[in-house]
Amino acid sequence: MSLETIVSKLRRHALFSRFDRVRLEVIAFSAEALSFAPGATVCEAGTPADGALLVLEGEAVMFLEERGERRALRLDSGDLIGETALIEPRSWEATTRAVTALQAVRLRRDTFHRLISEFPEMGQLVTAHMTDRLDELQDDLWRLKARLGSAKPVTRASRAAAKEQGEGCGSDDED
């Protein structure tokens, strides 16, 4: 798989979307190519994840366990598996199997951390991405609370406006 293909698939993910082309090429160049036959296990739930996997070609299925129910999620070209394992040690949360011949690359956590330490602006971009994700989760929680009748609807924009006006201090900001 070409460097250009990997770069274009990385760019589609929020974690990498703010990185400049040179940094994406460095990540792509350091990625390890992997191939899986149809039916092969790509990753097994509960086993240590040493980074993330980016699907380049083919299809896979991820089996998720939620509240005792098993769900299947279809993955194909461009999907990223295990994003958070790039940031911190994790175990795979789901078992993923190749449905067709699957080409992927492994983005190793140790390599990603080394790149972040060598290029501090990459670390700042990762921090900005994680902050955005936390804000989105907080917005989701506020909307859920509002639907359940335990809070009025609040969004990131309305919280920011309240902070600019000097409001919003106290326990409501800590959710």
Side-chain angles (χ1 to χ4, degrees):
M1 196 57 51
S2 74
L3 200 64
E4 179 58 37
T5 300
I6 299 169
V7 166
S8 70
K9 291 184 187 314
L10 286 171
R11 189 176 300 281
R12 289 196 264 164
H13 293 279
L15 175 62
F16 303 109
S17 65
R18 298 175 183 167
F19 288 14
D20 64 39
R21 179 165 185 75
V22 172
R23 302 300 182 250
L24 290 173
E25 287 175 350
V26 170
I27 292 168
F29 184 76
S30 66
E32 174 190 356
L34 302 171
S35 296
F36 299 93
T41 299
V42 175
C43 52
E44 185 74 37
T47 61
D50 62 354
L53 298 174
L54 178 66
V55 177
L56 300 177
E57 288 182 2
E59 293 181 18
V61 63
M62 179 183 288
F63 298 101
L64 304 166
E65 292 280 338
E66 290 181 348
R67 289 176 248 152
E69 292 184 32
R70 193 170 185 184
R71 294 185 323 136
L73 177 66
R74 181 180 171 264
L75 304 171
D76 59 14
S77 179
D79 285 331
L80 185 65
I81 307 166
E83 173 186 318
T84 55
L86 276 174
I87 310 300
E88 66 177 11
R90 292 275 175 132
S91 293
W92 294 111
E93 294 180 16
T95 296
T96 302
R97 289 201 173 79
V99 174
T100 64
L102 188 76
Q103 301 298 314
V105 290
R106 180 188 329 269
L107 309 171
R108 294 181 54 89
R109 180 177 45 257
D110 57 351
T111 303
F112 192 67
H113 282 202
R114 191 179 74 243
L115 291 171
I116 287 172
S117 69
E118 291 176 15
F119 304 104
E121 69 277 7
M122 287 177 70
Q124 293 167 348
L125 294 172
V126 169
T127 300
H129 167 70
M130 299 308 289
T131 300
D132 289 348
R133 295 271 308 265
L134 288 171
D135 285 345
E136 290 168 9
L137 285 171
Q138 188 173 29
D139 288 350
D140 290 346
L141 287 172
W142 276 108
R143 281 191 287 278
L144 181 60
K145 281 183 175 182
R147 277 197 311 176
L148 296 173
S150 61
K152 63 180 182 179
V154 178
T155 64
R156 184 178 350 165
S158 62
R159 283 194 310 273
K163 283 183 182 180
E164 285 179 12
Q165 296 174 355
E167 302 169 9
C169 296
S171 63
D172 286 348
D173 280 356
E174 295 175 15
D175 285 331

PDB file of all heavy atoms in Angstrom, residues 14-15 18 83-84 87 122-140 156 159 163 175:
ATOM      1  N   ALA A  14     -10.440  12.349  12.925  1.00  0.00           N
ATOM      2  CA  ALA A  14     -10.310  13.587  13.688  1.00  0.00           C
ATOM      3  C   ALA A  14      -8.966  13.670  14.415  1.00  0.00           C
ATOM      4  O   ALA A  14      -8.368  14.742  14.479  1.00  0.00           O
ATOM      5  CB  ALA A  14     -11.463  13.710  14.674  1.00  0.00           C
ATOM      6  N   LEU A  15      -8.479  12.561  14.934  1.00  0.00           N
ATOM      7  CA  LEU A  15      -7.203  12.574  15.649  1.00  0.00           C
ATOM      8  C   LEU A  15      -6.068  13.094  14.770  1.00  0.00           C
ATOM      9  O   LEU A  15      -5.194  13.811  15.240  1.00  0.00           O
ATOM     10  CB  LEU A  15      -6.861  11.162  16.154  1.00  0.00           C
ATOM     11  CG  LEU A  15      -5.500  10.989  16.825  1.00  0.00           C
ATOM     12  CD1 LEU A  15      -5.394  11.849  18.082  1.00  0.00           C
ATOM     13  CD2 LEU A  15      -5.269   9.530  17.171  1.00  0.00           C
ATOM     14  N   ARG A  18      -5.754  17.415  11.886  1.00  0.00           N
ATOM     15  CA  ARG A  18      -5.057  18.701  12.046  1.00  0.00           C
ATOM     16  C   ARG A  18      -3.562  18.593  11.776  1.00  0.00           C
ATOM     17  O   ARG A  18      -2.865  19.606  11.775  1.00  0.00           O
ATOM     18  CB  ARG A  18      -5.273  19.233  13.459  1.00  0.00           C
ATOM     19  CG  ARG A  18      -6.723  19.503  13.775  1.00  0.00           C
ATOM     20  CD  ARG A  18      -6.888  19.903  15.215  1.00  0.00           C
ATOM     21  NE  ARG A  18      -8.294  20.101  15.532  1.00  0.00           N
ATOM     22  CZ  ARG A  18      -8.752  20.215  16.756  1.00  0.00           C
ATOM     23  NH1 ARG A  18      -7.941  20.151  17.791  1.00  0.00           N
ATOM     24  NH2 ARG A  18     -10.034  20.390  16.964  1.00  0.00           N
ATOM     25  N   GLU A  83      -8.176   3.597  18.609  1.00  0.00           N
ATOM     26  CA  GLU A  83      -7.561   4.935  18.657  1.00  0.00           C
ATOM     27  C   GLU A  83      -6.988   5.261  20.031  1.00  0.00           C
ATOM     28  O   GLU A  83      -5.880   5.774  20.145  1.00  0.00           O
ATOM     29  CB  GLU A  83      -8.606   5.977  18.258  1.00  0.00           C
ATOM     30  CG  GLU A  83      -8.167   7.393  18.431  1.00  0.00           C
ATOM     31  CD  GLU A  83      -9.279   8.387  18.157  1.00  0.00           C
ATOM     32  OE1 GLU A  83     -10.027   8.209  17.183  1.00  0.00           O
ATOM     33  OE2 GLU A  83      -9.402   9.347  18.934  1.00  0.00           O
ATOM     34  N   THR A  84      -7.728   4.962  21.088  1.00  0.00           N
ATOM     35  CA  THR A  84      -7.259   5.323  22.429  1.00  0.00           C
ATOM     36  C   THR A  84      -6.015   4.538  22.839  1.00  0.00           C
ATOM     37  O   THR A  84      -5.245   5.003  23.678  1.00  0.00           O
ATOM     38  CB  THR A  84      -8.361   5.145  23.490  1.00  0.00           C
ATOM     39  OG1 THR A  84      -8.859   3.821  23.422  1.00  0.00           O
ATOM     40  CG2 THR A  84      -9.484   6.143  23.292  1.00  0.00           C
ATOM     41  N   ILE A  87      -2.784   6.374  22.679  1.00  0.00           N
ATOM     42  CA  ILE A  87      -2.515   7.354  23.717  1.00  0.00           C
ATOM     43  C   ILE A  87      -2.045   6.696  25.009  1.00  0.00           C
ATOM     44  O   ILE A  87      -1.098   7.150  25.642  1.00  0.00           O
ATOM     45  CB  ILE A  87      -3.786   8.195  24.013  1.00  0.00           C
ATOM     46  CG1 ILE A  87      -4.416   8.746  22.732  1.00  0.00           C
ATOM     47  CG2 ILE A  87      -3.496   9.309  25.016  1.00  0.00           C
ATOM     48  CD1 ILE A  87      -3.549   9.650  21.910  1.00  0.00           C
ATOM     49  N   MET A 122       2.685  18.125  17.571  1.00  0.00           N
ATOM     50  CA  MET A 122       1.809  16.967  17.412  1.00  0.00           C
ATOM     51  C   MET A 122       1.100  16.663  18.729  1.00  0.00           C
ATOM     52  O   MET A 122      -0.095  16.362  18.745  1.00  0.00           O
ATOM     53  CB  MET A 122       2.595  15.741  16.949  1.00  0.00           C
ATOM     54  CG  MET A 122       3.028  15.809  15.506  1.00  0.00           C
ATOM     55  SD  MET A 122       4.036  14.376  15.000  1.00  0.00           S
ATOM     56  CE  MET A 122       2.823  13.077  14.998  1.00  0.00           C
ATOM     57  N   GLY A 123       1.818  16.752  19.829  1.00  0.00           N
ATOM     58  CA  GLY A 123       1.214  16.538  21.145  1.00  0.00           C
ATOM     59  C   GLY A 123       0.142  17.563  21.436  1.00  0.00           C
ATOM     60  O   GLY A 123      -0.912  17.235  22.000  1.00  0.00           O
ATOM     61  N   GLN A 124       0.378  18.803  21.034  1.00  0.00           N
ATOM     62  CA  GLN A 124      -0.625  19.852  21.232  1.00  0.00           C
ATOM     63  C   GLN A 124      -1.882  19.554  20.410  1.00  0.00           C
ATOM     64  O   GLN A 124      -3.002  19.782  20.874  1.00  0.00           O
ATOM     65  CB  GLN A 124      -0.042  21.212  20.851  1.00  0.00           C
ATOM     66  CG  GLN A 124       1.060  21.663  21.793  1.00  0.00           C
ATOM     67  CD  GLN A 124       1.847  22.845  21.256  1.00  0.00           C
ATOM     68  OE1 GLN A 124       1.736  23.223  20.093  1.00  0.00           O
ATOM     69  NE2 GLN A 124       2.658  23.435  22.125  1.00  0.00           N
ATOM     70  N   LEU A 125      -1.705  19.043  19.202  1.00  0.00           N
ATOM     71  CA  LEU A 125      -2.851  18.704  18.361  1.00  0.00           C
ATOM     72  C   LEU A 125      -3.628  17.515  18.925  1.00  0.00           C
ATOM     73  O   LEU A 125      -4.861  17.485  18.863  1.00  0.00           O
ATOM     74  CB  LEU A 125      -2.396  18.421  16.928  1.00  0.00           C
ATOM     75  CG  LEU A 125      -1.812  19.627  16.181  1.00  0.00           C
ATOM     76  CD1 LEU A 125      -1.213  19.194  14.845  1.00  0.00           C
ATOM     77  CD2 LEU A 125      -2.863  20.701  15.985  1.00  0.00           C
ATOM     78  N   VAL A 126      -2.911  16.548  19.478  1.00  0.00           N
ATOM     79  CA  VAL A 126      -3.581  15.406  20.116  1.00  0.00           C
ATOM     80  C   VAL A 126      -4.371  15.894  21.335  1.00  0.00           C
ATOM     81  O   VAL A 126      -5.517  15.496  21.535  1.00  0.00           O
ATOM     82  CB  VAL A 126      -2.571  14.311  20.511  1.00  0.00           C
ATOM     83  CG1 VAL A 126      -3.213  13.255  21.402  1.00  0.00           C
ATOM     84  CG2 VAL A 126      -1.971  13.665  19.264  1.00  0.00           C
ATOM     85  N   THR A 127      -3.770  16.789  22.125  1.00  0.00           N
ATOM     86  CA  THR A 127      -4.468  17.346  23.283  1.00  0.00           C
ATOM     87  C   THR A 127      -5.726  18.093  22.846  1.00  0.00           C
ATOM     88  O   THR A 127      -6.791  17.939  23.457  1.00  0.00           O
ATOM     89  CB  THR A 127      -3.527  18.285  24.072  1.00  0.00           C
ATOM     90  OG1 THR A 127      -2.401  17.528  24.518  1.00  0.00           O
ATOM     91  CG2 THR A 127      -4.233  18.908  25.264  1.00  0.00           C
ATOM     92  N   ALA A 128      -5.629  18.867  21.772  1.00  0.00           N
ATOM     93  CA  ALA A 128      -6.798  19.594  21.261  1.00  0.00           C
ATOM     94  C   ALA A 128      -7.885  18.619  20.819  1.00  0.00           C
ATOM     95  O   ALA A 128      -9.075  18.831  21.094  1.00  0.00           O
ATOM     96  CB  ALA A 128      -6.387  20.503  20.099  1.00  0.00           C
ATOM     97  N   HIS A 129      -7.485  17.539  20.171  1.00  0.00           N
ATOM     98  CA  HIS A 129      -8.461  16.519  19.741  1.00  0.00           C
ATOM     99  C   HIS A 129      -9.151  15.887  20.949  1.00  0.00           C
ATOM    100  O   HIS A 129     -10.379  15.737  20.963  1.00  0.00           O
ATOM    101  CB  HIS A 129      -7.762  15.448  18.903  1.00  0.00           C
ATOM    102  CG  HIS A 129      -8.592  14.223  18.689  1.00  0.00           C
ATOM    103  ND1 HIS A 129      -9.709  14.220  17.876  1.00  0.00           N
ATOM    104  CD2 HIS A 129      -8.501  12.974  19.200  1.00  0.00           C
ATOM    105  CE1 HIS A 129     -10.251  13.017  17.886  1.00  0.00           C
ATOM    106  NE2 HIS A 129      -9.538  12.247  18.689  1.00  0.00           N
ATOM    107  N   MET A 130      -8.382  15.520  21.950  1.00  0.00           N
ATOM    108  CA  MET A 130      -8.959  14.883  23.130  1.00  0.00           C
ATOM    109  C   MET A 130      -9.885  15.856  23.864  1.00  0.00           C
ATOM    110  O   MET A 130     -10.938  15.454  24.369  1.00  0.00           O
ATOM    111  CB  MET A 130      -7.858  14.362  24.065  1.00  0.00           C
ATOM    112  CG  MET A 130      -6.959  13.308  23.434  1.00  0.00           C
ATOM    113  SD  MET A 130      -7.843  11.923  22.686  1.00  0.00           S
ATOM    114  CE  MET A 130      -8.451  11.087  24.117  1.00  0.00           C
ATOM    115  N   THR A 131      -9.533  17.134  23.907  1.00  0.00           N
ATOM    116  CA  THR A 131     -10.391  18.147  24.520  1.00  0.00           C
ATOM    117  C   THR A 131     -11.712  18.240  23.759  1.00  0.00           C
ATOM    118  O   THR A 131     -12.786  18.302  24.366  1.00  0.00           O
ATOM    119  CB  THR A 131      -9.677  19.509  24.544  1.00  0.00           C
ATOM    120  OG1 THR A 131      -8.476  19.379  25.301  1.00  0.00           O
ATOM    121  CG2 THR A 131     -10.551  20.593  25.147  1.00  0.00           C
ATOM    122  N   ASP A 132     -11.640  18.231  22.435  1.00  0.00           N
ATOM    123  CA  ASP A 132     -12.865  18.254  21.622  1.00  0.00           C
ATOM    124  C   ASP A 132     -13.735  17.042  21.915  1.00  0.00           C
ATOM    125  O   ASP A 132     -14.957  17.157  22.041  1.00  0.00           O
ATOM    126  CB  ASP A 132     -12.525  18.292  20.127  1.00  0.00           C
ATOM    127  CG  ASP A 132     -11.959  19.621  19.675  1.00  0.00           C
ATOM    128  OD1 ASP A 132     -12.033  20.609  20.445  1.00  0.00           O
ATOM    129  OD2 ASP A 132     -11.420  19.674  18.543  1.00  0.00           O
ATOM    130  N   ARG A 133     -13.101  15.870  22.019  1.00  0.00           N
ATOM    131  CA  ARG A 133     -13.863  14.651  22.318  1.00  0.00           C
ATOM    132  C   ARG A 133     -14.544  14.733  23.678  1.00  0.00           C
ATOM    133  O   ARG A 133     -15.692  14.338  23.837  1.00  0.00           O
ATOM    134  CB  ARG A 133     -12.952  13.416  22.277  1.00  0.00           C
ATOM    135  CG  ARG A 133     -12.359  13.067  20.939  1.00  0.00           C
ATOM    136  CD  ARG A 133     -13.217  12.149  20.087  1.00  0.00           C
ATOM    137  NE  ARG A 133     -13.672  10.942  20.709  1.00  0.00           N
ATOM    138  CZ  ARG A 133     -13.090   9.750  20.633  1.00  0.00           C
ATOM    139  NH1 ARG A 133     -11.997   9.594  19.944  1.00  0.00           N
ATOM    140  NH2 ARG A 133     -13.618   8.703  21.231  1.00  0.00           N
ATOM    141  N   LEU A 134     -13.824  15.252  24.675  1.00  0.00           N
ATOM    142  CA  LEU A 134     -14.418  15.404  26.005  1.00  0.00           C
ATOM    143  C   LEU A 134     -15.577  16.394  25.979  1.00  0.00           C
ATOM    144  O   LEU A 134     -16.609  16.174  26.617  1.00  0.00           O
ATOM    145  CB  LEU A 134     -13.356  15.836  27.023  1.00  0.00           C
ATOM    146  CG  LEU A 134     -12.350  14.770  27.411  1.00  0.00           C
ATOM    147  CD1 LEU A 134     -11.229  15.374  28.259  1.00  0.00           C
ATOM    148  CD2 LEU A 134     -13.023  13.632  28.152  1.00  0.00           C
ATOM    149  N   ASP A 135     -15.419  17.495  25.242  1.00  0.00           N
ATOM    150  CA  ASP A 135     -16.513  18.468  25.105  1.00  0.00           C
ATOM    151  C   ASP A 135     -17.735  17.823  24.459  1.00  0.00           C
ATOM    152  O   ASP A 135     -18.870  18.055  24.879  1.00  0.00           O
ATOM    153  CB  ASP A 135     -16.065  19.678  24.273  1.00  0.00           C
ATOM    154  CG  ASP A 135     -15.161  20.629  25.036  1.00  0.00           C
ATOM    155  OD1 ASP A 135     -15.093  20.543  26.283  1.00  0.00           O
ATOM    156  OD2 ASP A 135     -14.510  21.465  24.374  1.00  0.00           O
ATOM    157  N   GLU A 136     -17.519  17.017  23.429  1.00  0.00           N
ATOM    158  CA  GLU A 136     -18.630  16.330  22.770  1.00  0.00           C
ATOM    159  C   GLU A 136     -19.331  15.377  23.736  1.00  0.00           C
ATOM    160  O   GLU A 136     -20.570  15.314  23.773  1.00  0.00           O
ATOM    161  CB  GLU A 136     -18.137  15.560  21.548  1.00  0.00           C
ATOM    162  CG  GLU A 136     -17.695  16.439  20.400  1.00  0.00           C
ATOM    163  CD  GLU A 136     -16.945  15.675  19.316  1.00  0.00           C
ATOM    164  OE1 GLU A 136     -16.906  14.428  19.366  1.00  0.00           O
ATOM    165  OE2 GLU A 136     -16.395  16.337  18.432  1.00  0.00           O
ATOM    166  N   LEU A 137     -18.555  14.653  24.525  1.00  0.00           N
ATOM    167  CA  LEU A 137     -19.145  13.744  25.509  1.00  0.00           C
ATOM    168  C   LEU A 137     -19.938  14.514  26.567  1.00  0.00           C
ATOM    169  O   LEU A 137     -21.027  14.101  26.964  1.00  0.00           O
ATOM    170  CB  LEU A 137     -18.061  12.901  26.179  1.00  0.00           C
ATOM    171  CG  LEU A 137     -17.477  11.781  25.333  1.00  0.00           C
ATOM    172  CD1 LEU A 137     -16.265  11.174  26.033  1.00  0.00           C
ATOM    173  CD2 LEU A 137     -18.522  10.714  25.075  1.00  0.00           C
ATOM    174  N   GLN A 138     -19.394  15.647  26.989  1.00  0.00           N
ATOM    175  CA  GLN A 138     -20.101  16.449  27.971  1.00  0.00           C
ATOM    176  C   GLN A 138     -21.421  16.970  27.382  1.00  0.00           C
ATOM    177  O   GLN A 138     -22.452  16.955  28.051  1.00  0.00           O
ATOM    178  CB  GLN A 138     -19.242  17.603  28.459  1.00  0.00           C
ATOM    179  CG  GLN A 138     -19.876  18.352  29.624  1.00  0.00           C
ATOM    180  CD  GLN A 138     -18.964  19.386  30.216  1.00  0.00           C
ATOM    181  OE1 GLN A 138     -18.116  19.942  29.532  1.00  0.00           O
ATOM    182  NE2 GLN A 138     -19.145  19.663  31.497  1.00  0.00           N
ATOM    183  N   ASP A 139     -21.385  17.408  26.131  1.00  0.00           N
ATOM    184  CA  ASP A 139     -22.626  17.844  25.464  1.00  0.00           C
ATOM    185  C   ASP A 139     -23.635  16.708  25.415  1.00  0.00           C
ATOM    186  O   ASP A 139     -24.824  16.906  25.685  1.00  0.00           O
ATOM    187  CB  ASP A 139     -22.337  18.341  24.038  1.00  0.00           C
ATOM    188  CG  ASP A 139     -21.634  19.680  24.002  1.00  0.00           C
ATOM    189  OD1 ASP A 139     -21.526  20.341  25.061  1.00  0.00           O
ATOM    190  OD2 ASP A 139     -21.183  20.066  22.907  1.00  0.00           O
ATOM    191  N   ASP A 140     -23.171  15.516  25.086  1.00  0.00           N
ATOM    192  CA  ASP A 140     -24.067  14.348  25.047  1.00  0.00           C
ATOM    193  C   ASP A 140     -24.680  14.082  26.420  1.00  0.00           C
ATOM    194  O   ASP A 140     -25.871  13.777  26.530  1.00  0.00           O
ATOM    195  CB  ASP A 140     -23.329  13.103  24.559  1.00  0.00           C
ATOM    196  CG  ASP A 140     -22.964  13.153  23.089  1.00  0.00           C
ATOM    197  OD1 ASP A 140     -23.501  14.020  22.363  1.00  0.00           O
ATOM    198  OD2 ASP A 140     -22.131  12.326  22.662  1.00  0.00           O
ATOM    199  N   ARG A 156     -21.939  23.124  24.426  1.00  0.00           N
ATOM    200  CA  ARG A 156     -20.603  23.699  24.553  1.00  0.00           C
ATOM    201  C   ARG A 156     -20.640  25.196  24.272  1.00  0.00           C
ATOM    202  O   ARG A 156     -20.023  25.991  24.968  1.00  0.00           O
ATOM    203  CB  ARG A 156     -19.663  22.990  23.576  1.00  0.00           C
ATOM    204  CG  ARG A 156     -18.257  23.431  23.680  1.00  0.00           C
ATOM    205  CD  ARG A 156     -17.322  22.691  22.757  1.00  0.00           C
ATOM    206  NE  ARG A 156     -17.927  21.553  22.114  1.00  0.00           N
ATOM    207  CZ  ARG A 156     -17.419  20.935  21.065  1.00  0.00           C
ATOM    208  NH1 ARG A 156     -16.296  21.334  20.557  1.00  0.00           N
ATOM    209  NH2 ARG A 156     -18.013  19.912  20.517  1.00  0.00           N
ATOM    210  N   ARG A 159     -22.222  27.041  27.198  1.00  0.00           N
ATOM    211  CA  ARG A 159     -21.294  27.075  28.335  1.00  0.00           C
ATOM    212  C   ARG A 159     -20.202  28.098  28.103  1.00  0.00           C
ATOM    213  O   ARG A 159     -19.835  28.848  29.006  1.00  0.00           O
ATOM    214  CB  ARG A 159     -20.679  25.692  28.567  1.00  0.00           C
ATOM    215  CG  ARG A 159     -21.598  24.712  29.250  1.00  0.00           C
ATOM    216  CD  ARG A 159     -20.871  23.491  29.776  1.00  0.00           C
ATOM    217  NE  ARG A 159     -20.003  22.858  28.805  1.00  0.00           N
ATOM    218  CZ  ARG A 159     -20.368  21.932  27.921  1.00  0.00           C
ATOM    219  NH1 ARG A 159     -21.614  21.536  27.883  1.00  0.00           N
ATOM    220  NH2 ARG A 159     -19.508  21.409  27.089  1.00  0.00           N
ATOM    221  N   LYS A 163     -19.372  31.465  30.350  1.00  0.00           N
ATOM    222  CA  LYS A 163     -18.054  31.731  30.926  1.00  0.00           C
ATOM    223  C   LYS A 163     -17.557  33.110  30.543  1.00  0.00           C
ATOM    224  O   LYS A 163     -16.955  33.814  31.342  1.00  0.00           O
ATOM    225  CB  LYS A 163     -17.053  30.657  30.494  1.00  0.00           C
ATOM    226  CG  LYS A 163     -17.214  29.365  31.232  1.00  0.00           C
ATOM    227  CD  LYS A 163     -16.168  28.352  30.831  1.00  0.00           C
ATOM    228  CE  LYS A 163     -16.396  27.050  31.564  1.00  0.00           C
ATOM    229  NZ  LYS A 163     -15.405  26.042  31.209  1.00  0.00           N
ATOM    230  N   ASP A 175     -19.421  18.753  35.522  1.00  0.00           N
ATOM    231  CA  ASP A 175     -20.025  17.510  35.019  1.00  0.00           C
ATOM    232  C   ASP A 175     -19.220  16.902  33.930  1.00  0.00           C
ATOM    233  O   ASP A 175     -18.613  17.360  33.133  1.00  0.00           O
ATOM    234  CB  ASP A 175     -21.438  17.756  34.543  1.00  0.00           C
ATOM    235  CG  ASP A 175     -22.402  17.928  35.710  1.00  0.00           C
ATOM    236  OD1 ASP A 175     -22.138  17.350  36.775  1.00  0.00           O
ATOM    237  OD2 ASP A 175     -23.393  18.626  35.532  1.00  0.00           O
TER     238      ASP A 175
END
